[in-house]
């Protein structure tokens, strides 16, 4: 038997607006004492909860337990920007010519994740904004951004994907803003209120018999024919484990020096007053990513709030302090002021950050990593769709269910090794700063 202590536990910096604007959840059910299960899923994000759901579909009579370190909805799954994206971000890459097959594979996998989430939302009775199959916009504010958008639609044409081009007037009608020069509407994405979706999914799974324990971080795992996961007040023994902990797979000793821990940041305004809504004009709801992947995504949500997201930092410790959140919160305020000059007194009510996990070669970290232990991690920044897909596929792999999704996931290379520190730290942050600089204005 091999025992591994979790080297780090997840820390989620700043209160995430999405979760804060929902009603407070009921008391958490913590793991206490010794429990046995047929399946243990660690992590209640997109990957973990989708794995639990797929397990219940494939093995309805099996006991499925989920351990989550914090409250469901507090982690990255409840603090992202909610773009469940079908089209790869970098369709406009220069290397596109040879990449069409890879793009088509990625689109098919992402869409399988979106379909699974849509069906889950329906089954769990999620209404309103929790899951909307409404598509997303790509906005361009600069000459360079418009060039990116043009390249993007060329590639959409080549792939036979539908879209709609918006000129500056159409952008003004949609947003009420003079800031943007052009936009593209792509109908395939789904849009989440991420905390509502993930909390709703968790409650739906509980009603189907999944045992979910919150505030129950796994601090040690004894790997054996029967694995034992220890939490501060209890333990679960199960023959099979699915790891849905994203970058924290490394905390359990898997994929050492192969996972890049990056944080990104978002802020949400207070609710606009009726007068401010009138002054802004435009449609009551829209959801836009930037024409450049390193630019600012902006959502105007039905609750009459605006959400902005930008900045990336490479932090191998996976933790950042309050000072960083406050500093980036001020940058969000400036990004907001440039776009929404008609709303000078609207403050950011919530500022937060959250973890992403990327690999250098852009592949997931998927497969059986120890006998009876399956990994569904490393979503490369797009975990709403990719995490959902990875969780489903991990459940299929673990139950030996034949599936094109498993074949496609297993066909990826393993995440490649990272350069040693401090070179990686310096290089990654320099790369991020340079690309953020080039995307300034977007
Ligand atoms: C501000 C922001 C904006 C983003 N925007 C988007 C977006 O628009 N679209 C998109 O696709 N993605 C977006 N992302 C990324 C997305 O949130 C992640 O890729 C996604 O949440 C990953 O899903 P996951 O289930 O793999 O991991 P997570 O959501 O990170 O879930 C893993 C869970 O494991 C738990 N865990 C970790 N260690 C332990 C332990 N020892 N014991 C028990 N539990 C543990 C964690 O608490 C966590 O809840 C964004 C992220 C941020 C921070």
């Amino acid at each position: 038997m091999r025992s591994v202590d979790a080297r780090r536990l997840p820390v989620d910096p700043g209160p995430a607006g999405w979760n804060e604007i929902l009603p407070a959840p009921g008391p958490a059910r913590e793991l206490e004492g010794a429990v046995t299960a047929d399946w243990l899923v660690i992590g209640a994000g997109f990957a973990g909860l989708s794995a639990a759901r797929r397990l219940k579909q494939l093995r309805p009579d099996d006991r499925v337990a989920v351990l989550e370190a914090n409250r469901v909805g507090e982690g990255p799954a409840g603090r992202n920007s909610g773009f469940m994206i079908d089209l790869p971000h970098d369709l406009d890459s220069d290397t596109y010519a040879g990449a069409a097959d890879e793009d088509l594979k990625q689109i098919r996998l992402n869409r399988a994740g979106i379909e699974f989430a849509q069906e889950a939302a329906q089954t769990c009775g999620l209404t309103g904004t929790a899951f909307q199959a409404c598509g997303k916009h790509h906005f361009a504010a600069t000459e360079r951004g418009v060039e990116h958008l043009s390249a993007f639609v060329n590639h959409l044409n080549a792939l036979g994907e539908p879209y709609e081009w918006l000129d500056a007037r159409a952008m003004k009608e949609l947003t009420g803003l003079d800031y943007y020069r052009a936009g593209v509407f792509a109908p395939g994405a789904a849009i989440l209120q991420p905390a509502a979706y993930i909390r709703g999914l968790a409650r739906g799974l509980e009603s189907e018999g999944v045992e979910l324990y919150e505030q129950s971080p796994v601090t040690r795992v004894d790997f054996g024919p029967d694995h034992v996961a220890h939490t501060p007040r209890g333990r679960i023994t199960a023959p099979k484990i699915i790891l849905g902990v994203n970058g924290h797979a490394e905390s359990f000793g898997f994929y050492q020096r192969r996972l890049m821990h990056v944080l990104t940041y978002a802020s949400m305004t207070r609710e606009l007053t009726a007068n401010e809504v009138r002054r802004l004009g435009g449609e009551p709801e829209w959801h836009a990513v930037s024409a450049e992947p390193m630019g600012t995504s902006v959502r105007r949500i039905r609750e009459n709030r605006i959400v902005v997201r930008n900045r990336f930092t490479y932090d191998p410790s996976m933790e950042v302090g309050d000072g960083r959140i406050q500093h980036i919160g001020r940058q969000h305020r400036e990004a907001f002021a440039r776009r929404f000059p008609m709303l000078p007194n609207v403050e950011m009510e919530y500022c937060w950050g959250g973890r992403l996990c990327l690999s250098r070669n852009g592949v997931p970290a998927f497969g059986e990593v120890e006998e009876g232990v399956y990994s569904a991690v490393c979503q490369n920044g797009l975990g709403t769709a990719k995490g959902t897909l990875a969780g489903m596929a991990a459940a299929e792999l673990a139950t030996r269910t034949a599936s094109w999704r498993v074949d496609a996931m297993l066909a990826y290379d393993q995440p490649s090794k990272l350069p040693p520190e401090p070179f990686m730290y310096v290089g990654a942050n320099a790369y991020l700063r340079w690309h953020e600089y080039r995307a300034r204005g977007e």
Side-chain angles (χ1 to χ4, degrees):
M1 191 180 59
R2 190 171 79 85
S3 286
V4 176
D5 289 319
R7 252 194 297 142
R8 291 194 193 95
L9 294 177
V11 179
D12 301 304
W18 301 110
N19 204 30
E20 297 292 318
I21 63 174
L22 293 177
R29 177 187 185 194
E30 281 180 50
L31 178 68
E32 284 179 27
V35 166
T36 56
D38 298 301
W39 301 91
L40 170 62
V41 176
I42 307 180
F46 291 97
L49 294 183
S50 303
R53 180 162 194 269
R54 190 75 183 115
L55 286 172
K56 267 288 166 198
Q57 290 174 340
L58 296 169
R59 301 282 172 85
D61 298 326
D62 282 6
R63 256 186 104 172
V64 178
V66 179
L67 286 173
E68 166 55 45
N70 300 321
R71 294 303 309 262
V72 171
E74 280 178 357
R79 57 179 52 222
N80 60 77
S81 297
F83 292 94
M84 205 168 203
I85 287 174
D86 56 339
L87 303 169
H89 247 19
D90 57 354
L91 275 182
D92 58 350
S93 67
D94 297 340
T95 57
Y96 175 75
D101 284 351
E102 183 46 41
D103 285 339
L104 288 170
K105 172 180 171 181
Q106 197 50 253
I107 291 169
R108 189 170 178 226
L109 286 170
N110 290 347
R111 287 191 175 148
I114 294 173
E115 270 170 40
F116 186 80
Q118 181 162 26
E119 198 199 287
Q122 278 159 3
T123 314
C124 299
L126 303 188
T127 53
T129 56
F131 181 103
Q132 301 182 75
C134 62
K136 68 172 182 324
H137 284 91
H138 298 241
F139 283 0
T142 63
E143 195 67 39
R144 199 179 127 92
V146 176
E147 278 167 26
H148 269 279
L149 276 191
S150 305
F152 180 62
V153 299
N154 284 342
H155 298 143
L156 292 182
N157 284 333
L159 291 169
E161 289 290 337
Y163 67 87
E164 191 187 325
W165 181 272
L166 285 79
D167 60 15
R169 218 177 82 195
M171 293 297 294
K172 169 95 178 170
E173 276 170 19
L174 175 68
T175 62
L177 307 177
D178 294 314
Y179 190 77
Y180 293 106
R181 296 186 186 195
V184 167
F185 174 70
I191 297 294
L192 308 179
Q193 198 297 21
Y197 172 81
I198 210 74
R199 280 168 56 174
L201 177 57
R203 299 290 87 91
L205 288 173
E206 284 186 301
S207 71
E208 286 170 20
V210 169
E211 293 165 41
L212 170 64
Y213 302 96
E214 296 175 77
Q215 291 177 337
S216 303
V218 176
T219 51
R220 195 178 90 217
V221 183
D222 305 327
F223 294 107
D226 265 349
H227 310 296
V228 185
H230 299 262
T231 67
R233 295 164 67 184
R235 63 178 193 275
I236 295 189
T237 304
K240 307 258 185 199
I241 294 181
I242 293 181
L243 284 175
V245 293
N246 213 14
H248 277 284
E250 201 176 9
S251 307
F252 291 103
F254 298 111
Y255 302 106
Q256 293 293 320
R257 301 249 3 108
R258 288 172 191 273
L259 303 180
M260 295 193 285
H261 306 296
V262 169
L263 274 91
T264 186
Y265 305 83
S267 294
M268 181 185 279
T269 65
R270 65 161 167 76
E271 198 175 334
L272 306 183
T273 63
N275 197 14
E276 286 164 343
V277 167
R278 258 194 312 278
R279 237 185 300 146
L280 171 57
E283 298 290 331
E285 199 179 350
W286 43 267
H287 318 281
V289 294
S290 163
E292 295 215 38
M294 303 297 268
T296 302
S297 60
V298 186
R299 290 182 59 180
R300 177 172 172 189
I301 60 174
R302 217 177 284 173
E303 293 84 352
N304 278 327
R305 294 171 184 263
I306 316 280
V307 187
V308 297
R309 189 217 50 79
N310 62 30
R311 297 299 322 276
F312 292 96
T313 58
Y314 172 75
D315 291 289
S317 68
M318 293 190 243
E319 284 186 35
V320 298
D322 282 350
R324 173 84 68 75
I325 299 297
Q326 280 161 21
H327 174 67
I328 292 184
R330 283 193 291 277
Q331 295 180 334
H332 288 159
R333 185 71 191 73
E334 285 161 20
F336 176 81
R338 279 197 295 278
R339 289 164 176 77
F340 297 85
M342 72 294 280
L343 302 176
N345 300 317
V346 176
E347 291 308 318
M348 295 296 169
E349 188 170 352
Y350 305 107
C351 304
W352 68 94
R355 298 178 301 282
L356 309 176
C357 173
L358 297 89
S359 59
R360 210 171 155 208
N361 48 344
V363 298
F366 178 84
E368 189 168 7
V369 286
E370 172 107 19
E371 206 179 333
V373 180
Y374 301 87
S375 166
V377 309
C378 192
Q379 324 302 2
N380 287 290
L382 294 172
T384 59
K386 288 177 194 262
T388 301
L389 190 276
M392 287 168 79
E396 289 166 350
L397 175 68
T399 52
R400 301 193 196 291
T401 304
S403 140
W404 68 268
R405 291 171 289 268
V406 173
D407 297 341
M409 292 293 279
L410 288 176
Y412 281 114
D413 291 339
Q414 286 294 299
S416 54
K417 254 209 137 60
L418 304 180
E421 298 295 357
F423 303 107
M424 181 63 204
Y425 183 86
V426 173
N429 277 308
Y431 174 92
L432 291 170
R433 289 304 78 71
W434 169 239
H435 283 273
E436 284 178 338
Y437 175 74
R438 280 166 46 108
R440 71 192 182 288
E442 287 299 340

